[in-house]
């Protein structure tokens, strides 16, 4: 499993580590929180619940999903080591807008909302770091939305899988270029912005091309470089 040091760039390039706080900021959050752990598939934060805490991910990965009034579930993001979750609701006090579920066993630090707000008010550098992380995520989201708009459903599906595999994929035994992603077809459809049926057809096409394997709740990208070449063709 990746740790903070493995995810972040060397000191000279740490500012480019999008969404991940620097070691000195991580230390402040740890000191303010209490350690906790969650098994795979446990819900860390639930949509609609009160905004009572923020969580720093120390080990493992989580997925962030949102359910519409009609019951449609969308995958909004995946988060991992060195990233905060629940920080926006902890700041504005509004109820949770999404559910956070452990994709692997997760370890982290839980900081109550009131302590988190006091921590930011008392440390301008940390407040700016959190703001920069939020801005980086928004910029990245806008960039991907603009880029994906030029693709058809199959290429968008492949591009989303490539992003997830590169950023948060788990190594596959016996396949050095492969990465496994714990995501359902419905969640993937929400992330791609298309129907589940279109994602099923896209996955079938990618499987036929020898690029992915699928099983219940999981997609395995067999070769990152080949998938990227297929997307950019």
């Amino acid at each position: 499993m990746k740790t903070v040091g493995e995810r972040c760039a060397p000191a000279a390039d740490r500012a480019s580590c999008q969404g991940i706080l620097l070691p000195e900021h991580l230390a402040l959050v740890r000191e303010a929180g209490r350690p906790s752990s969650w098994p795979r598939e446990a819900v860390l934060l639930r949509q609609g619940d009160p905004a009572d805490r923020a969580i720093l991910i120390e080990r493992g990965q989580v997925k962030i999903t949102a359910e519409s009034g009609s019951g449609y579930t969308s995958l909004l993001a995946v988060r991992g080591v060195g990233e905060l979750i629940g920080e926006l609701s902890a700041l504005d006090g509004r109820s949770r807008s999404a559910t956070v579920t452990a994709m692997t066993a997760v370890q982290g630090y839980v900081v109550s909302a009131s302590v988190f707000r006091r921590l930011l008010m008392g440390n301008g550098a940390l407040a700016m770091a959190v703001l920069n992380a939020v801005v980086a995520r928004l910029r990245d989201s806008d960039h991907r939305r603009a880029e994906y708009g030029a693709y058809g459903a199959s290429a968008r599906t492949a591009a989303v899988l490539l992003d997830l595999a590169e950023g948060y994929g788990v190594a596959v035994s016996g396949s050095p270029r492969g990465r496994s992603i714990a995501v359902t077809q419905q969640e993937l459809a929400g992330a791609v912005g298309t129907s589940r049926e279109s994602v099923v057809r896209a996955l079938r096409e990618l499987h036929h091309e020898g690029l992915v394997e699928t099983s219940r709740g999981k997609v395995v990208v067999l070769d990152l470089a080949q998938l990227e070449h297929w997307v950019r063709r």
Side-chain angles (χ1 to χ4, degrees):
M1 190 67 64
K2 295 176 181 177
T3 64
V4 172
E6 293 169 328
R7 279 281 308 280
C8 289
D13 300 315
R14 288 181 302 176
S16 65
C17 210
Q18 286 191 351
I20 301 173
L21 301 179
L22 302 184
E24 54 266 35
H25 301 141
L26 293 170
L28 290 171
V29 178
R30 291 189 190 106
E31 290 171 5
R34 57 176 176 80
S36 190
S37 61
W38 300 264
R40 182 176 178 271
E41 298 186 355
V43 174
L44 284 71
L45 304 171
R46 191 178 300 277
Q47 184 174 348
D49 280 357
D52 58 350
R53 63 195 184 277
I55 300 173
L56 170 66
I57 303 299
E58 186 75 7
R59 188 174 294 271
Q61 298 170 355
V62 300
K63 62 184 176 183
I64 303 175
T65 58
E67 185 172 324
S68 69
S70 63
Y72 184 82
T73 301
S74 297
L75 175 67
L76 303 181
V78 174
R79 299 285 180 244
V81 176
E83 295 184 272
L84 284 168
I85 55 173
E87 74 278 21
L88 296 184
S89 290
L91 288 174
D92 68 15
R94 300 177 64 180
S95 59
R96 303 287 178 197
S97 59
T99 294
V100 179
T101 307
M103 300 171 68
T104 65
V106 171
Q107 296 176 8
Y109 287 84
V110 179
V111 185
S112 72
S114 59
V115 170
F116 185 68
R117 288 192 294 269
R118 288 199 300 270
L119 183 63
L120 296 190
M121 287 188 291
N123 191 301
L126 176 60
M128 284 302 301
V130 172
L131 177 60
N132 285 337
V134 172
V135 170
R137 290 173 181 174
L138 290 174
R139 287 186 181 277
D140 185 62
S141 176
D142 289 344
H143 170 75
R144 295 181 192 282
R145 191 176 295 112
E147 181 180 10
Y148 294 165
Y151 297 154
S154 291
R156 289 205 311 275
T157 300
V160 169
L161 286 173
L162 182 63
D163 285 341
L164 291 173
E166 287 180 334
Y168 301 97
V170 177
V172 178
S173 177
S175 179
R177 298 181 178 179
R179 293 291 186 274
S180 175
I181 313 159
V183 61
T184 68
Q185 292 177 349
Q186 186 62 66
E187 291 166 349
L188 186 57
V192 173
T194 189
S195 66
R196 181 178 179 276
E197 291 73 21
S198 293
V199 163
V200 169
R201 288 193 294 269
L203 290 173
R204 190 179 298 124
E205 180 181 356
L206 294 171
H207 175 75
H208 179 74
E209 295 287 340
L211 298 171
V212 305
E213 295 283 353
T214 61
S215 59
R216 184 177 180 83
K218 181 172 69 176
V219 178
V220 176
V221 174
L222 299 176
D223 189 307
L224 293 173
Q226 288 186 13
L227 183 61
E228 182 175 13
H229 176 74
W230 193 90
V231 171
R232 308 300 180 190
R233 61 183 179 167

